[in-house]
Amino acid sequence: MWQLRRAGLADIASLQAIRHRISEYPAERDRPDTLYARYLSRQGRGWLGNDGQGDRGFVVVNLNDCSIWALYVDPDCQGKGLGRVLLQQGCRYLFWRGARRISLRTLAHTPALGFYQHLGWHVEQQHEAGQLELVLPRPTLTRRALP
């Protein structure tokens, strides 16, 4: 159902449009286009999720500190699996690049906290203005014993 593609500099307007549809995050927390450009070209990598009718969500990872820099899903598409698919893509990429753990920040009073915790993330510390830092350790591979 969801199709992912790598986000590039030409997609910044689409990323910003998706971000602005999220009501839990006030406008004063906006990030300038130049910051998106830095993460999409030098410091990270991003992906857009599309349902065949348009871009509906995105994830951007930070390669410097092995974090999820941004993950947003259009409110009309929340609860339909896109957030999980995008988050898995970002995490898979960071673990492939050698991350031992991945971090992200979210506000304590949003539904996103429950979403992340349901997927195995745990709160590591609390920051200013109600932000929580969550971490996901690298999964360990278990080898089943032969019978």
Side-chain angles (χ1 to χ4, degrees):
M1 172 177 180
W2 299 110
Q3 300 165 1
L4 298 185
R5 67 178 174 82
R6 185 161 172 203
L9 298 177
D11 296 308
I12 292 174
S14 185
L15 301 178
Q16 290 280 32
I18 293 166
R19 162 62 183 85
H20 287 140
R21 290 194 288 273
I22 311 300
S23 62
E24 289 91 2
Y25 293 92
E28 63 266 12
R29 296 182 71 107
D30 264 355
R31 296 169 172 167
D33 288 357
T34 54
L35 198 53
Y36 280 90
R38 182 174 13 154
Y39 281 99
L40 293 175
S41 63
R42 296 187 312 270
Q43 197 169 328
R45 184 165 286 190
W47 294 267
L48 277 157
N50 188 299
D51 64 358
Q53 297 180 350
D55 296 328
R56 305 296 184 192
F58 69 92
V59 64
V60 178
V61 301
N62 180 342
L63 297 173
N64 291 347
D65 66 4
C66 298
S67 69
I68 302 296
W69 180 71
L71 173 64
Y72 293 103
V73 174
D74 186 304
D76 293 338
C77 296
Q78 290 178 1
K80 297 179 181 176
L82 178 57
R84 179 188 293 252
V85 169
L86 288 165
L87 186 60
Q88 287 172 338
Q89 175 65 31
C91 291
R92 207 175 1 236
Y93 183 74
L94 287 171
F95 286 136
W96 176 78
R97 296 273 313 221
R100 296 191 186 278
R101 70 183 208 145
I102 300 170
S103 64
L104 63 81
R105 287 188 182 190
T106 191
L107 295 174
H109 65 277
T110 65
L113 178 59
F115 166 75
Y116 294 124
Q117 289 177 318
H118 176 74
L119 295 176
W121 294 74
H122 63 273
V123 176
E124 182 166 88
Q125 61 183 326
Q126 185 166 356
H127 294 277
E128 74 287 341
Q131 277 198 346
L132 300 174
E133 183 169 346
L134 285 78
V135 296
L136 180 71
R138 182 183 192 95
T140 57
L141 297 176
T142 58
R143 197 176 252 178
R144 291 176 26 178
L146 295 172

